[in-house]
Amino acid sequence: MNSSVSASFVVGAVRVQPLGPCLVRVEARGPKGFEDRETFTVADRAGGEAVAAQETHGAGGTVVATAHYRVVVPDNATSLDGVRVESAAGETLCELSRAMLDKKFLPAPSALPAVWVLGDAPRVVPPAWGALPPPDGAEDATSGWDLTNDAPDAYVFFPRAAGYARFRADFLRLTGGIPLVPLYALGLWYSRYFAYSEETAVAVIERFRQENIPLDVFVADTDWRVGASCGYAVNEALFPDMARFVRQAHARQVRIMLNDHPEPKGKSALDPEELRFRRNGLVSLLEKGVDLWWFDRNWHTHLQAPAPGLDKEVWGMRLYRDVARSFRPERRPLIMSNVDGVNNGRRDAPSHPAAHRFPVWWTGDTCAEWNYLRLGVSNAVDGGIDSLLPYVHEDLGGHHGQPDPELYVRFMQFGAFSPVARIHCTTNVHRYPWGYGAAVAQVVGDYFRLRYRLLPLLYSAAHEAHWTGLPVLRRCDLEWPEFPEAADPTQYLLGDDLLVAPILEPARRGAETERSVWIPPGEWQDLWSGRVRQGPATIGVCCRLDEMPLFVRRGGVVLSAPQRQSTGVPVWPELVVDAFVP
C-alpha cells in the first residue's frame, strides 16, 4: 500500500490525481506522456485543498481512495474506458468513457448530480505568447501551439457532496476566473448596422446627450471598412480620419467599438500568416484609439477553428483577448463575441468550458418579437448558471424588424436591468428612443438614467462575478434551491436584494399588463406601490407601460449614486443608501 497527500497514481496508461475533496483527475497517457502543462481549457490544477489518498491493489484492479471518493482502475488499463468512480463506501457513481468528455451544461443549484465530468477535449497546449504571432525563431506550422499530446483527460467533480458554491469555486479554480469588466461595459451601448460617417456618428452621440440619455459605447458596425465586409482598411469616404473621430467620441465620454468579420488567412487558424494578419489588423485600429472589438461570426465569413472540437467562437474570444491585452496591458481587455452555443437567440448547445474567461457575449441576430424578448431574458439568466457566462445579452429591440412602441419599451426596460445594455438593429430600421416620440423617449430615458444611478449595485455584482462566479443576474434557485418556482429564468435578483421580473407579453386589455411573479421567502416591497408581499408565494402583478415588476427585500440595501451621463471612473464621492427596514 502506498500513501500520499494529493499525489499522482499511475496504473498502466492511466494517471489518477486527487485535486481536492470533491475533484479528481483521471487521465490517459498521451503520445508525449502525461500532461502537466496549462491547456486551452485548464488554467490551473494547483491551489486546491490537499487530500490524503491511498493506493491499494486487488483482484482485477487498483483502487485510489480518499476519505470522499474512490477511483478503480482496471489492471493494464490503456484508456479511461472501464475506470469506475465510486463513493467512499464503494457505491459506483459513474464509469468513465470517451463520450463523457463532450462539453455539457453545468448543473443547476437545484439539481446537483452526484458526479459531473469535465473533459479537456481537445487537449491543446498554448505557447507562452498565446494567440499572438510567434516570436522570431519560434515560428512553425502551428505557431507554437502543441496539438500533439491529445488524450482522454477527465476531471470528475462531486457537486452534490461539495454543495453548489464549492463546486462552482472548484470549476473556476481549474478553468480560470471570470474577468472583471471595465466600468464602461455596464453603461449604455448604441449600435446599428448602418453606414455611419464621422459626421452622422458624432451627431447620434450628440443627440443622446441632448436627450439626456446616458451613453458609454458607440458601435460602428461594419461599414467603417473598405468594402463594408472584411479587412482592416478604413473607408475614408465615411471616416476620413478615424483617429479624429475616436478623439471626438472620447471628448464626449464615449468609447468606440468596431465590428470585425474576420476572413481566414493562411492554411489554418494557427498559421503564422493568419495570426500576423489578425494582430496587425486589429492593432492598426487600436493605435487610432479604438477601444474594443466585436468578433462577429454571424456572417458568411469567419475564423477557422484550430482543432476539431475547439470551435471558432471560443478560439476567436481567446485571439481577440490576447491581441487587446498585449497592446494595452494596463487596461482590462474587453471584446464582444457570440455566445458559444446560442445561435440567433436559440440555445442549441453548451458553451466551451473556457468561454467565461472572455467577456462579453451576445446571442446573435434576433427579431423584434415578444418571443425573442422572452428568450433573451432566459438566455441571460440561465447563461449565468449553466455556462457561468454572467454577461450574456440581447440586441435590445431585436436585430430584424421594427418593434411597436410597447414592445420597444419592454425590451429597453429589460435592458436597463441587464448585465450589458446594448441597443442594436439592422439597417432600414432604427432603435432611437426619440424616434418613438416624446412619451416613449421619456420612459426609456428614465430607465436608463436609473441604470446609471444603480452603477454601484451593477459594479458590485460584476465584482462578485469576478471573485466567486455568482452571476450578475441571479436565478432565484441560487438562494432558494428547495423551491421549484425559484428556477424560473424569466425573473431574477440583481445584486442581493433587488427582484426583477421583466414584462414579456403585450397588454391584453386596457393600459396595463399582468404577469405572475414568484415572491421568495421573506418580505418583499413593491417599489411602485410600497406594498409589502410575504413569500413564498406566486402573485399577479399589473403594470402600466412605464412600470415593470420590481421588488426589494425587506432588510436589504440598495446603493445608488448621483446621476451621470457616462460611467466615468468607479469613484462615487456621494452614495445613497436605501435601507429597507423590516
Side-chain angles (χ1 to χ4, degrees), residues 21 59 81 114 127 187 218 264 266 276 306 339 372 471 502:
D81 293 339
F218 181 89
R276 277 194 301 270
V339 183
Y372 279 99

Side-chain angles (χ1 to χ4, degrees), residues 414-436:
F414 167 54
F417 296 95
S418 294
V420 176
R422 187 181 55 84
I423 301 171
H424 182 67
C425 64
T426 189
T427 189
N428 299 322
V429 295
H430 75 84
R431 299 290 182 266
Y432 302 124
W434 49 87
Y436 281 88

Side-chain angles (χ1 to χ4, degrees), residues 320-460:
Y320 284 66
R321 190 282 308 271
D322 285 4
V323 172
R325 188 168 62 179
S326 69
F327 182 76
R328 295 187 182 123
E330 77 284 359
R331 298 191 194 179
R332 301 172 198 166
L334 185 71
I335 65 144
M336 188 176 86
S337 59
N338 293 80
V339 183
D340 183 20
V342 176
N343 298 292
N344 301 330
R346 303 286 180 175
R347 185 178 296 269
D348 295 328
S351 292
H352 188 279
H356 60 272
R357 301 205 304 259
F358 314 109
V360 298
W361 313 276
W362 120 98
T363 60
D365 293 347
T366 58
C367 298
E369 299 171 4
W370 286 95
N371 63 308
Y372 279 99
L373 173 56
R374 177 179 289 273
L375 285 172
V377 177
S378 298
N379 284 332
V381 175
D382 284 339
I385 290 177
D386 64 30
S387 299
L388 291 190
L389 303 180
Y391 301 103
V392 172
H393 68 282
E394 287 297 288
D395 288 350
L396 290 178
H399 181 74
H400 299 290
Q402 187 72 41
D404 62 28
E406 182 185 14
L407 176 58
Y408 178 79
V409 168
R410 297 308 188 191
F411 258 114
M412 300 303 145
Q413 287 172 337
F414 167 54
F417 296 95
S418 294
V420 176
R422 187 181 55 84
I423 301 171
H424 182 67
C425 64
T426 189
T427 189
N428 299 322
V429 295
H430 75 84
R431 299 290 182 266
Y432 302 124
W434 49 87
Y436 281 88
V440 168
Q442 182 67 45
V443 172
V444 170
D446 283 345
Y447 273 89
F448 286 126
R449 285 185 284 271
L450 174 59
R451 178 181 180 86
Y452 275 67
R453 292 197 299 277
L454 292 176
L455 280 172
L457 183 153
L458 289 161
Y459 198 59
S460 176

Side-chain angles (χ1 to χ4, degrees), residues 21-69:
C22 297
L23 175 61
V24 61
R25 180 191 191 190
V26 185
E27 171 198 14
R29 182 185 285 114
K32 293 183 175 180
F34 296 114
E35 186 59 74
D36 292 319
R37 296 171 292 177
E38 173 188 344
T39 69
F40 188 98
T41 301
V42 175
D44 186 4
R45 301 178 191 89
E49 181 182 341
V51 292
Q54 294 182 334
E55 178 186 35
T56 58
H57 304 281
T62 296
V63 178
V64 176
T66 74
H68 308 278
Y69 52 78

Side-chain angles (χ1 to χ4, degrees), residues 234-245:
V234 175
N235 181 352
E236 294 183 355
L238 296 175
F239 294 94
D241 188 336
M242 179 63 78
R244 181 181 63 198
F245 164 61

